[in-house]
Amino acid sequence: MWGRVALLLLAVLSHVPMHYLWRLLRLSSPWPRWFLGRAAWIAGARVVRVGVPLRRDVFYVSNHLSWIDILALGGASGTAFVAKAEIGAAPVIGWLAGLNRTVYVKRENRLGVAEQINQLRDALAENWAITVFPEGTTTDGKSLLPFKTPMLRVLEPPPPGVMVQPVLLDYGDASEEIGWIGQERGLNNARRILARKGGFALKVHFLEPFFPADFPGRKAIAAESRRRIEDALVGALGLPLRPFRFAEEAIGYKPSPQP
């Protein structure tokens, strides 16, 4: 674990200054993408890209298992991400996420959804690619939760020229071990994965993209994205999906007992 932590620190110290230099020279910086890809490898992920990712004007919709997803998908495509606001406030992690143009949202702020949609629309106009994880939590790689639709309102109506590309993250036999599920704390999960011996395969399937205008409305877009991801996941597993047994338990949260 400490060897991997040291390598991650070395990657930060070598990549971040170069990123700032590129920005100072007003150049498009590849360093965040390179950092994410190397960080995924250091953490043990042996990423194999399947399919062709669209490079710009694309809204990726992906399943979600682990914090490794962000490293692998960002490294494979250069995408920015939509993340919970708490991540932006986290020491170091929030700073690094900001370097990759992360868009932060407060999911509990029901009254501020319109403002967040406008923020997301602006980010999509400025960035070539952006990713959402519409399940709203992480699963075990054998299940797929219903897709939540609020952040897909940015596609009502879709910006001109923007396409949706579903993405399947397939950890194979390691999926249940890598998945961040149940009551496991984030720090404990990171320690466990970084202490794991050897590497693990991670196939990033960039599925066939589609025009969101062909599926009007965020619910139809979510349904079509989920259908394509489910078909690809069932094909990868060779088995039907199973119910997710932690679906009603938020990570790290236990409801207070009622008086």
Side-chain angles (χ1 to χ4, degrees), residues 198-236:
F200 52 89
L202 169 53
K203 292 183 179 180
V204 182
H205 296 260
F206 291 93
L207 306 177
E208 192 67 23
F210 62 89
F211 287 103
D214 293 341
F215 299 88
R218 67 183 189 274
K219 292 184 178 180
I221 294 169
E224 178 62 16
S225 299
R226 190 185 184 282
R227 183 190 67 79
R228 297 188 184 204
I229 293 172
E230 180 177 356
D231 288 348
L233 181 54
V234 169

PDB file of all heavy atoms in Angstrom, residues 198-236:
ATOM      1  N   GLY A 198      -0.965  -7.395  -6.695  1.00  0.00           N
ATOM      2  CA  GLY A 198      -1.186  -7.597  -8.117  1.00  0.00           C
ATOM      3  C   GLY A 198      -2.150  -6.592  -8.712  1.00  0.00           C
ATOM      4  O   GLY A 198      -2.612  -5.647  -8.057  1.00  0.00           O
ATOM      5  N   GLY A 199      -2.457  -6.788  -9.986  1.00  0.00           N
ATOM      6  CA  GLY A 199      -3.375  -5.895 -10.667  1.00  0.00           C
ATOM      7  C   GLY A 199      -4.695  -6.590 -10.974  1.00  0.00           C
ATOM      8  O   GLY A 199      -4.905  -7.760 -10.638  1.00  0.00           O
ATOM      9  N   PHE A 200      -5.596  -5.866 -11.590  1.00  0.00           N
ATOM     10  CA  PHE A 200      -6.896  -6.421 -11.980  1.00  0.00           C
ATOM     11  C   PHE A 200      -7.297  -5.811 -13.310  1.00  0.00           C
ATOM     12  O   PHE A 200      -6.983  -4.656 -13.606  1.00  0.00           O
ATOM     13  CB  PHE A 200      -7.961  -6.128 -10.916  1.00  0.00           C
ATOM     14  CG  PHE A 200      -8.061  -4.686 -10.508  1.00  0.00           C
ATOM     15  CD1 PHE A 200      -8.892  -3.810 -11.181  1.00  0.00           C
ATOM     16  CD2 PHE A 200      -7.302  -4.207  -9.450  1.00  0.00           C
ATOM     17  CE1 PHE A 200      -8.978  -2.477 -10.806  1.00  0.00           C
ATOM     18  CE2 PHE A 200      -7.375  -2.887  -9.056  1.00  0.00           C
ATOM     19  CZ  PHE A 200      -8.216  -2.021  -9.741  1.00  0.00           C
ATOM     20  N   ALA A 201      -7.963  -6.612 -14.116  1.00  0.00           N
ATOM     21  CA  ALA A 201      -8.394  -6.145 -15.432  1.00  0.00           C
ATOM     22  C   ALA A 201      -9.614  -5.245 -15.304  1.00  0.00           C
ATOM     23  O   ALA A 201     -10.513  -5.507 -14.503  1.00  0.00           O
ATOM     24  CB  ALA A 201      -8.713  -7.330 -16.335  1.00  0.00           C
ATOM     25  N   LEU A 202      -9.633  -4.204 -16.086  1.00  0.00           N
ATOM     26  CA  LEU A 202     -10.793  -3.311 -16.162  1.00  0.00           C
ATOM     27  C   LEU A 202     -11.030  -2.970 -17.631  1.00  0.00           C
ATOM     28  O   LEU A 202     -10.221  -2.279 -18.247  1.00  0.00           O
ATOM     29  CB  LEU A 202     -10.560  -2.036 -15.350  1.00  0.00           C
ATOM     30  CG  LEU A 202     -11.577  -0.907 -15.543  1.00  0.00           C
ATOM     31  CD1 LEU A 202     -12.996  -1.404 -15.341  1.00  0.00           C
ATOM     32  CD2 LEU A 202     -11.262   0.260 -14.615  1.00  0.00           C
ATOM     33  N   LYS A 203     -12.112  -3.485 -18.164  1.00  0.00           N
ATOM     34  CA  LYS A 203     -12.473  -3.180 -19.541  1.00  0.00           C
ATOM     35  C   LYS A 203     -13.438  -1.996 -19.557  1.00  0.00           C
ATOM     36  O   LYS A 203     -14.493  -2.040 -18.912  1.00  0.00           O
ATOM     37  CB  LYS A 203     -13.126  -4.393 -20.212  1.00  0.00           C
ATOM     38  CG  LYS A 203     -12.166  -5.561 -20.421  1.00  0.00           C
ATOM     39  CD  LYS A 203     -12.850  -6.710 -21.147  1.00  0.00           C
ATOM     40  CE  LYS A 203     -11.881  -7.862 -21.372  1.00  0.00           C
ATOM     41  NZ  LYS A 203     -12.539  -8.996 -22.072  1.00  0.00           N
ATOM     42  N   VAL A 204     -13.066  -0.965 -20.274  1.00  0.00           N
ATOM     43  CA  VAL A 204     -13.908   0.220 -20.434  1.00  0.00           C
ATOM     44  C   VAL A 204     -14.548   0.123 -21.814  1.00  0.00           C
ATOM     45  O   VAL A 204     -13.896   0.354 -22.834  1.00  0.00           O
ATOM     46  CB  VAL A 204     -13.099   1.523 -20.293  1.00  0.00           C
ATOM     47  CG1 VAL A 204     -14.016   2.738 -20.411  1.00  0.00           C
ATOM     48  CG2 VAL A 204     -12.353   1.537 -18.958  1.00  0.00           C
ATOM     49  N   HIS A 205     -15.829  -0.247 -21.829  1.00  0.00           N
ATOM     50  CA  HIS A 205     -16.555  -0.432 -23.085  1.00  0.00           C
ATOM     51  C   HIS A 205     -17.242   0.878 -23.465  1.00  0.00           C
ATOM     52  O   HIS A 205     -18.177   1.318 -22.772  1.00  0.00           O
ATOM     53  CB  HIS A 205     -17.626  -1.519 -22.939  1.00  0.00           C
ATOM     54  CG  HIS A 205     -17.089  -2.885 -22.665  1.00  0.00           C
ATOM     55  ND1 HIS A 205     -16.962  -3.844 -23.643  1.00  0.00           N
ATOM     56  CD2 HIS A 205     -16.650  -3.466 -21.508  1.00  0.00           C
ATOM     57  CE1 HIS A 205     -16.480  -4.964 -23.110  1.00  0.00           C
ATOM     58  NE2 HIS A 205     -16.280  -4.753 -21.818  1.00  0.00           N
ATOM     59  N   PHE A 206     -16.793   1.493 -24.546  1.00  0.00           N
ATOM     60  CA  PHE A 206     -17.484   2.650 -25.097  1.00  0.00           C
ATOM     61  C   PHE A 206     -18.500   2.131 -26.102  1.00  0.00           C
ATOM     62  O   PHE A 206     -18.139   1.677 -27.193  1.00  0.00           O
ATOM     63  CB  PHE A 206     -16.485   3.608 -25.752  1.00  0.00           C
ATOM     64  CG  PHE A 206     -15.584   4.289 -24.765  1.00  0.00           C
ATOM     65  CD1 PHE A 206     -14.340   3.749 -24.456  1.00  0.00           C
ATOM     66  CD2 PHE A 206     -15.977   5.459 -24.138  1.00  0.00           C
ATOM     67  CE1 PHE A 206     -13.504   4.366 -23.541  1.00  0.00           C
ATOM     68  CE2 PHE A 206     -15.148   6.089 -23.209  1.00  0.00           C
ATOM     69  CZ  PHE A 206     -13.903   5.539 -22.915  1.00  0.00           C
ATOM     70  N   LEU A 207     -19.767   2.165 -25.705  1.00  0.00           N
ATOM     71  CA  LEU A 207     -20.829   1.571 -26.511  1.00  0.00           C
ATOM     72  C   LEU A 207     -21.259   2.518 -27.631  1.00  0.00           C
ATOM     73  O   LEU A 207     -20.790   3.656 -27.714  1.00  0.00           O
ATOM     74  CB  LEU A 207     -22.003   1.212 -25.598  1.00  0.00           C
ATOM     75  CG  LEU A 207     -21.640   0.316 -24.406  1.00  0.00           C
ATOM     76  CD1 LEU A 207     -22.856   0.082 -23.518  1.00  0.00           C
ATOM     77  CD2 LEU A 207     -21.027  -1.004 -24.855  1.00  0.00           C
ATOM     78  N   GLU A 208     -22.154   2.026 -28.469  1.00  0.00           N
ATOM     79  CA  GLU A 208     -22.583   2.814 -29.628  1.00  0.00           C
ATOM     80  C   GLU A 208     -23.284   4.097 -29.167  1.00  0.00           C
ATOM     81  O   GLU A 208     -24.235   4.054 -28.382  1.00  0.00           O
ATOM     82  CB  GLU A 208     -23.531   1.989 -30.488  1.00  0.00           C
ATOM     83  CG  GLU A 208     -23.815   2.577 -31.856  1.00  0.00           C
ATOM     84  CD  GLU A 208     -22.602   2.592 -32.775  1.00  0.00           C
ATOM     85  OE1 GLU A 208     -21.673   1.780 -32.556  1.00  0.00           O
ATOM     86  OE2 GLU A 208     -22.588   3.418 -33.702  1.00  0.00           O
ATOM     87  N   PRO A 209     -22.831   5.256 -29.618  1.00  0.00           N
ATOM     88  CA  PRO A 209     -23.478   6.517 -29.227  1.00  0.00           C
ATOM     89  C   PRO A 209     -24.806   6.709 -29.947  1.00  0.00           C
ATOM     90  O   PRO A 209     -25.099   6.047 -30.951  1.00  0.00           O
ATOM     91  CB  PRO A 209     -22.452   7.568 -29.646  1.00  0.00           C
ATOM     92  CG  PRO A 209     -21.708   6.948 -30.774  1.00  0.00           C
ATOM     93  CD  PRO A 209     -21.666   5.469 -30.493  1.00  0.00           C
ATOM     94  N   PHE A 210     -25.598   7.623 -29.414  1.00  0.00           N
ATOM     95  CA  PHE A 210     -26.860   7.946 -30.069  1.00  0.00           C
ATOM     96  C   PHE A 210     -27.166   9.427 -29.902  1.00  0.00           C
ATOM     97  O   PHE A 210     -26.629  10.098 -29.014  1.00  0.00           O
ATOM     98  CB  PHE A 210     -28.013   7.089 -29.526  1.00  0.00           C
ATOM     99  CG  PHE A 210     -28.313   7.276 -28.054  1.00  0.00           C
ATOM    100  CD1 PHE A 210     -29.207   8.255 -27.618  1.00  0.00           C
ATOM    101  CD2 PHE A 210     -27.719   6.468 -27.098  1.00  0.00           C
ATOM    102  CE1 PHE A 210     -29.501   8.423 -26.277  1.00  0.00           C
ATOM    103  CE2 PHE A 210     -28.008   6.621 -25.747  1.00  0.00           C
ATOM    104  CZ  PHE A 210     -28.898   7.601 -25.335  1.00  0.00           C
ATOM    105  N   PHE A 211     -28.012   9.916 -30.786  1.00  0.00           N
ATOM    106  CA  PHE A 211     -28.442  11.305 -30.713  1.00  0.00           C
ATOM    107  C   PHE A 211     -29.556  11.419 -29.667  1.00  0.00           C
ATOM    108  O   PHE A 211     -30.579  10.734 -29.786  1.00  0.00           O
ATOM    109  CB  PHE A 211     -28.949  11.801 -32.063  1.00  0.00           C
ATOM    110  CG  PHE A 211     -27.860  12.037 -33.069  1.00  0.00           C
ATOM    111  CD1 PHE A 211     -27.631  11.124 -34.088  1.00  0.00           C
ATOM    112  CD2 PHE A 211     -27.055  13.162 -32.985  1.00  0.00           C
ATOM    113  CE1 PHE A 211     -26.620  11.327 -35.014  1.00  0.00           C
ATOM    114  CE2 PHE A 211     -26.044  13.383 -33.911  1.00  0.00           C
ATOM    115  CZ  PHE A 211     -25.818  12.456 -34.917  1.00  0.00           C
ATOM    116  N   PRO A 212     -29.393  12.254 -28.656  1.00  0.00           N
ATOM    117  CA  PRO A 212     -30.442  12.365 -27.641  1.00  0.00           C
ATOM    118  C   PRO A 212     -31.768  12.856 -28.201  1.00  0.00           C
ATOM    119  O   PRO A 212     -32.818  12.560 -27.637  1.00  0.00           O
ATOM    120  CB  PRO A 212     -29.841  13.356 -26.638  1.00  0.00           C
ATOM    121  CG  PRO A 212     -28.756  14.064 -27.369  1.00  0.00           C
ATOM    122  CD  PRO A 212     -28.223  13.094 -28.370  1.00  0.00           C
ATOM    123  N   ALA A 213     -31.718  13.568 -29.322  1.00  0.00           N
ATOM    124  CA  ALA A 213     -32.962  14.042 -29.930  1.00  0.00           C
ATOM    125  C   ALA A 213     -33.827  12.883 -30.414  1.00  0.00           C
ATOM    126  O   ALA A 213     -35.040  13.037 -30.579  1.00  0.00           O
ATOM    127  CB  ALA A 213     -32.650  14.988 -31.087  1.00  0.00           C
ATOM    128  N   ASP A 214     -33.215  11.707 -30.635  1.00  0.00           N
ATOM    129  CA  ASP A 214     -33.978  10.542 -31.069  1.00  0.00           C
ATOM    130  C   ASP A 214     -34.752   9.905 -29.919  1.00  0.00           C
ATOM    131  O   ASP A 214     -35.607   9.029 -30.158  1.00  0.00           O
ATOM    132  CB  ASP A 214     -33.042   9.494 -31.685  1.00  0.00           C
ATOM    133  CG  ASP A 214     -32.423   9.966 -32.988  1.00  0.00           C
ATOM    134  OD1 ASP A 214     -32.974  10.904 -33.596  1.00  0.00           O
ATOM    135  OD2 ASP A 214     -31.373   9.415 -33.383  1.00  0.00           O
ATOM    136  N   PHE A 215     -34.448  10.316 -28.685  1.00  0.00           N
ATOM    137  CA  PHE A 215     -35.128   9.795 -27.495  1.00  0.00           C
ATOM    138  C   PHE A 215     -35.525  10.996 -26.626  1.00  0.00           C
ATOM    139  O   PHE A 215     -34.889  11.280 -25.613  1.00  0.00           O
ATOM    140  CB  PHE A 215     -34.208   8.841 -26.724  1.00  0.00           C
ATOM    141  CG  PHE A 215     -33.792   7.634 -27.518  1.00  0.00           C
ATOM    142  CD1 PHE A 215     -32.661   7.681 -28.330  1.00  0.00           C
ATOM    143  CD2 PHE A 215     -34.543   6.477 -27.485  1.00  0.00           C
ATOM    144  CE1 PHE A 215     -32.278   6.577 -29.075  1.00  0.00           C
ATOM    145  CE2 PHE A 215     -34.164   5.361 -28.226  1.00  0.00           C
ATOM    146  CZ  PHE A 215     -33.031   5.415 -29.027  1.00  0.00           C
ATOM    147  N   PRO A 216     -36.550  11.723 -27.045  1.00  0.00           N
ATOM    148  CA  PRO A 216     -36.870  13.000 -26.392  1.00  0.00           C
ATOM    149  C   PRO A 216     -37.173  12.847 -24.910  1.00  0.00           C
ATOM    150  O   PRO A 216     -37.925  11.956 -24.500  1.00  0.00           O
ATOM    151  CB  PRO A 216     -38.107  13.482 -27.166  1.00  0.00           C
ATOM    152  CG  PRO A 216     -38.051  12.761 -28.475  1.00  0.00           C
ATOM    153  CD  PRO A 216     -37.455  11.423 -28.156  1.00  0.00           C
ATOM    154  N   GLY A 217     -36.574  13.710 -24.119  1.00  0.00           N
ATOM    155  CA  GLY A 217     -36.816  13.717 -22.685  1.00  0.00           C
ATOM    156  C   GLY A 217     -35.755  12.947 -21.926  1.00  0.00           C
ATOM    157  O   GLY A 217     -35.233  11.941 -22.404  1.00  0.00           O
ATOM    158  N   ARG A 218     -35.444  13.428 -20.732  1.00  0.00           N
ATOM    159  CA  ARG A 218     -34.362  12.818 -19.958  1.00  0.00           C
ATOM    160  C   ARG A 218     -34.677  11.381 -19.538  1.00  0.00           C
ATOM    161  O   ARG A 218     -33.774  10.554 -19.440  1.00  0.00           O
ATOM    162  CB  ARG A 218     -34.042  13.676 -18.739  1.00  0.00           C
ATOM    163  CG  ARG A 218     -35.138  13.748 -17.677  1.00  0.00           C
ATOM    164  CD  ARG A 218     -34.728  14.696 -16.551  1.00  0.00           C
ATOM    165  NE  ARG A 218     -35.653  14.644 -15.423  1.00  0.00           N
ATOM    166  CZ  ARG A 218     -36.760  15.359 -15.323  1.00  0.00           C
ATOM    167  NH1 ARG A 218     -37.081  16.199 -16.316  1.00  0.00           N
ATOM    168  NH2 ARG A 218     -37.531  15.270 -14.252  1.00  0.00           N
ATOM    169  N   LYS A 219     -35.962  11.060 -19.295  1.00  0.00           N
ATOM    170  CA  LYS A 219     -36.302   9.698 -18.896  1.00  0.00           C
ATOM    171  C   LYS A 219     -36.069   8.722 -20.035  1.00  0.00           C
ATOM    172  O   LYS A 219     -35.589   7.594 -19.820  1.00  0.00           O
ATOM    173  CB  LYS A 219     -37.748   9.639 -18.419  1.00  0.00           C
ATOM    174  CG  LYS A 219     -37.982  10.384 -17.106  1.00  0.00           C
ATOM    175  CD  LYS A 219     -39.405  10.215 -16.619  1.00  0.00           C
ATOM    176  CE  LYS A 219     -39.612  10.935 -15.283  1.00  0.00           C
ATOM    177  NZ  LYS A 219     -41.003  10.782 -14.781  1.00  0.00           N
ATOM    178  N   ALA A 220     -36.382   9.134 -21.247  1.00  0.00           N
ATOM    179  CA  ALA A 220     -36.159   8.262 -22.401  1.00  0.00           C
ATOM    180  C   ALA A 220     -34.660   8.101 -22.664  1.00  0.00           C
ATOM    181  O   ALA A 220     -34.197   7.005 -23.015  1.00  0.00           O
ATOM    182  CB  ALA A 220     -36.853   8.841 -23.632  1.00  0.00           C
ATOM    183  N   ILE A 221     -33.891   9.173 -22.483  1.00  0.00           N
ATOM    184  CA  ILE A 221     -32.438   9.098 -22.665  1.00  0.00           C
ATOM    185  C   ILE A 221     -31.822   8.169 -21.625  1.00  0.00           C
ATOM    186  O   ILE A 221     -30.965   7.339 -21.932  1.00  0.00           O
ATOM    187  CB  ILE A 221     -31.823  10.505 -22.576  1.00  0.00           C
ATOM    188  CG1 ILE A 221     -32.292  11.368 -23.766  1.00  0.00           C
ATOM    189  CG2 ILE A 221     -30.292  10.430 -22.539  1.00  0.00           C
ATOM    190  CD1 ILE A 221     -31.944  12.836 -23.633  1.00  0.00           C
ATOM    191  N   ALA A 222     -32.273   8.298 -20.369  1.00  0.00           N
ATOM    192  CA  ALA A 222     -31.767   7.438 -19.302  1.00  0.00           C
ATOM    193  C   ALA A 222     -32.118   5.982 -19.572  1.00  0.00           C
ATOM    194  O   ALA A 222     -31.287   5.075 -19.382  1.00  0.00           O
ATOM    195  CB  ALA A 222     -32.338   7.885 -17.958  1.00  0.00           C
ATOM    196  N   ALA A 223     -33.357   5.736 -20.013  1.00  0.00           N
ATOM    197  CA  ALA A 223     -33.793   4.368 -20.274  1.00  0.00           C
ATOM    198  C   ALA A 223     -32.991   3.731 -21.399  1.00  0.00           C
ATOM    199  O   ALA A 223     -32.600   2.556 -21.312  1.00  0.00           O
ATOM    200  CB  ALA A 223     -35.283   4.347 -20.597  1.00  0.00           C
ATOM    201  N   GLU A 224     -32.734   4.487 -22.458  1.00  0.00           N
ATOM    202  CA  GLU A 224     -31.974   3.939 -23.575  1.00  0.00           C
ATOM    203  C   GLU A 224     -30.522   3.688 -23.172  1.00  0.00           C
ATOM    204  O   GLU A 224     -29.936   2.657 -23.532  1.00  0.00           O
ATOM    205  CB  GLU A 224     -32.036   4.890 -24.772  1.00  0.00           C
ATOM    206  CG  GLU A 224     -31.239   4.441 -25.989  1.00  0.00           C
ATOM    207  CD  GLU A 224     -31.725   3.118 -26.577  1.00  0.00           C
ATOM    208  OE1 GLU A 224     -32.862   2.686 -26.255  1.00  0.00           O
ATOM    209  OE2 GLU A 224     -30.979   2.521 -27.376  1.00  0.00           O
ATOM    210  N   SER A 225     -29.934   4.605 -22.411  1.00  0.00           N
ATOM    211  CA  SER A 225     -28.557   4.413 -21.941  1.00  0.00           C
ATOM    212  C   SER A 225     -28.464   3.175 -21.058  1.00  0.00           C
ATOM    213  O   SER A 225     -27.550   2.349 -21.209  1.00  0.00           O
ATOM    214  CB  SER A 225     -28.083   5.652 -21.167  1.00  0.00           C
ATOM    215  OG  SER A 225     -28.095   6.810 -21.972  1.00  0.00           O
ATOM    216  N   ARG A 226     -29.412   3.043 -20.141  1.00  0.00           N
ATOM    217  CA  ARG A 226     -29.387   1.899 -19.230  1.00  0.00           C
ATOM    218  C   ARG A 226     -29.597   0.586 -19.987  1.00  0.00           C
ATOM    219  O   ARG A 226     -28.957  -0.423 -19.669  1.00  0.00           O
ATOM    220  CB  ARG A 226     -30.463   2.054 -18.149  1.00  0.00           C
ATOM    221  CG  ARG A 226     -30.332   1.035 -17.022  1.00  0.00           C
ATOM    222  CD  ARG A 226     -31.481   1.139 -16.034  1.00  0.00           C
ATOM    223  NE  ARG A 226     -31.285   0.222 -14.912  1.00  0.00           N
ATOM    224  CZ  ARG A 226     -31.510  -1.084 -14.963  1.00  0.00           C
ATOM    225  NH1 ARG A 226     -31.951  -1.628 -16.105  1.00  0.00           N
ATOM    226  NH2 ARG A 226     -31.294  -1.841 -13.887  1.00  0.00           N
ATOM    227  N   ARG A 227     -30.478   0.597 -20.972  1.00  0.00           N
ATOM    228  CA  ARG A 227     -30.727  -0.615 -21.750  1.00  0.00           C
ATOM    229  C   ARG A 227     -29.454  -1.090 -22.432  1.00  0.00           C
ATOM    230  O   ARG A 227     -29.118  -2.296 -22.395  1.00  0.00           O
ATOM    231  CB  ARG A 227     -31.813  -0.365 -22.799  1.00  0.00           C
ATOM    232  CG  ARG A 227     -32.185  -1.600 -23.616  1.00  0.00           C
ATOM    233  CD  ARG A 227     -33.084  -1.268 -24.784  1.00  0.00           C
ATOM    234  NE  ARG A 227     -32.393  -0.463 -25.798  1.00  0.00           N
ATOM    235  CZ  ARG A 227     -31.545  -0.974 -26.699  1.00  0.00           C
ATOM    236  NH1 ARG A 227     -31.291  -2.281 -26.710  1.00  0.00           N
ATOM    237  NH2 ARG A 227     -30.962  -0.190 -27.591  1.00  0.00           N
ATOM    238  N   ARG A 228     -28.717  -0.164 -23.010  1.00  0.00           N
ATOM    239  CA  ARG A 228     -27.488  -0.539 -23.724  1.00  0.00           C
ATOM    240  C   ARG A 228     -26.412  -1.034 -22.757  1.00  0.00           C
ATOM    241  O   ARG A 228     -25.689  -1.988 -23.047  1.00  0.00           O
ATOM    242  CB  ARG A 228     -26.983   0.643 -24.544  1.00  0.00           C
ATOM    243  CG  ARG A 228     -27.954   1.078 -25.640  1.00  0.00           C
ATOM    244  CD  ARG A 228     -27.360   2.121 -26.556  1.00  0.00           C
ATOM    245  NE  ARG A 228     -28.341   2.592 -27.528  1.00  0.00           N
ATOM    246  CZ  ARG A 228     -28.039   3.142 -28.709  1.00  0.00           C
ATOM    247  NH1 ARG A 228     -26.767   3.303 -29.041  1.00  0.00           N
ATOM    248  NH2 ARG A 228     -28.989   3.541 -29.508  1.00  0.00           N
ATOM    249  N   ILE A 229     -26.302  -0.364 -21.600  1.00  0.00           N
ATOM    250  CA  ILE A 229     -25.315  -0.792 -20.606  1.00  0.00           C
ATOM    251  C   ILE A 229     -25.697  -2.161 -20.041  1.00  0.00           C
ATOM    252  O   ILE A 229     -24.839  -3.028 -19.852  1.00  0.00           O
ATOM    253  CB  ILE A 229     -25.194   0.258 -19.492  1.00  0.00           C
ATOM    254  CG1 ILE A 229     -24.582   1.549 -20.056  1.00  0.00           C
ATOM    255  CG2 ILE A 229     -24.345  -0.258 -18.333  1.00  0.00           C
ATOM    256  CD1 ILE A 229     -24.588   2.709 -19.086  1.00  0.00           C
ATOM    257  N   GLU A 230     -26.983  -2.369 -19.763  1.00  0.00           N
ATOM    258  CA  GLU A 230     -27.430  -3.654 -19.232  1.00  0.00           C
ATOM    259  C   GLU A 230     -27.159  -4.783 -20.220  1.00  0.00           C
ATOM    260  O   GLU A 230     -26.673  -5.861 -19.835  1.00  0.00           O
ATOM    261  CB  GLU A 230     -28.919  -3.611 -18.890  1.00  0.00           C
ATOM    262  CG  GLU A 230     -29.443  -4.925 -18.338  1.00  0.00           C
ATOM    263  CD  GLU A 230     -30.904  -4.869 -17.931  1.00  0.00           C
ATOM    264  OE1 GLU A 230     -31.501  -3.782 -18.008  1.00  0.00           O
ATOM    265  OE2 GLU A 230     -31.442  -5.927 -17.549  1.00  0.00           O
ATOM    266  N   ASP A 231     -27.466  -4.559 -21.496  1.00  0.00           N
ATOM    267  CA  ASP A 231     -27.213  -5.587 -22.506  1.00  0.00           C
ATOM    268  C   ASP A 231     -25.730  -5.938 -22.554  1.00  0.00           C
ATOM    269  O   ASP A 231     -25.355  -7.119 -22.640  1.00  0.00           O
ATOM    270  CB  ASP A 231     -27.681  -5.105 -23.884  1.00  0.00           C
ATOM    271  CG  ASP A 231     -29.200  -5.076 -24.010  1.00  0.00           C
ATOM    272  OD1 ASP A 231     -29.878  -5.634 -23.128  1.00  0.00           O
ATOM    273  OD2 ASP A 231     -29.693  -4.479 -24.997  1.00  0.00           O
ATOM    274  N   ALA A 232     -24.879  -4.913 -22.493  1.00  0.00           N
ATOM    275  CA  ALA A 232     -23.431  -5.158 -22.551  1.00  0.00           C
ATOM    276  C   ALA A 232     -22.947  -5.872 -21.291  1.00  0.00           C
ATOM    277  O   ALA A 232     -22.086  -6.757 -21.358  1.00  0.00           O
ATOM    278  CB  ALA A 232     -22.691  -3.841 -22.737  1.00  0.00           C
ATOM    279  N   LEU A 233     -23.505  -5.515 -20.125  1.00  0.00           N
ATOM    280  CA  LEU A 233     -23.088  -6.140 -18.872  1.00  0.00           C
ATOM    281  C   LEU A 233     -23.533  -7.598 -18.814  1.00  0.00           C
ATOM    282  O   LEU A 233     -22.764  -8.479 -18.396  1.00  0.00           O
ATOM    283  CB  LEU A 233     -23.659  -5.367 -17.684  1.00  0.00           C
ATOM    284  CG  LEU A 233     -23.287  -5.875 -16.284  1.00  0.00           C
ATOM    285  CD1 LEU A 233     -21.780  -5.991 -16.122  1.00  0.00           C
ATOM    286  CD2 LEU A 233     -23.892  -4.973 -15.215  1.00  0.00           C
ATOM    287  N   VAL A 234     -24.756  -7.883 -19.233  1.00  0.00           N
ATOM    288  CA  VAL A 234     -25.230  -9.269 -19.276  1.00  0.00           C
ATOM    289  C   VAL A 234     -24.356 -10.087 -20.230  1.00  0.00           C
ATOM    290  O   VAL A 234     -23.998 -11.240 -19.938  1.00  0.00           O
ATOM    291  CB  VAL A 234     -26.710  -9.323 -19.703  1.00  0.00           C
ATOM    292  CG1 VAL A 234     -27.135 -10.757 -20.012  1.00  0.00           C
ATOM    293  CG2 VAL A 234     -27.596  -8.741 -18.612  1.00  0.00           C
ATOM    294  N   GLY A 235     -23.983  -9.496 -21.361  1.00  0.00           N
ATOM    295  CA  GLY A 235     -23.104 -10.190 -22.290  1.00  0.00           C
ATOM    296  C   GLY A 235     -21.735 -10.470 -21.703  1.00  0.00           C
ATOM    297  O   GLY A 235     -21.157 -11.540 -21.932  1.00  0.00           O
ATOM    298  N   ALA A 236     -21.213  -9.516 -20.925  1.00  0.00           N
ATOM    299  CA  ALA A 236     -19.898  -9.706 -20.310  1.00  0.00           C
ATOM    300  C   ALA A 236     -19.943 -10.750 -19.205  1.00  0.00           C
ATOM    301  O   ALA A 236     -19.021 -11.558 -19.057  1.00  0.00           O
ATOM    302  CB  ALA A 236     -19.388  -8.373 -19.765  1.00  0.00           C
TER     303      ALA A 236
END
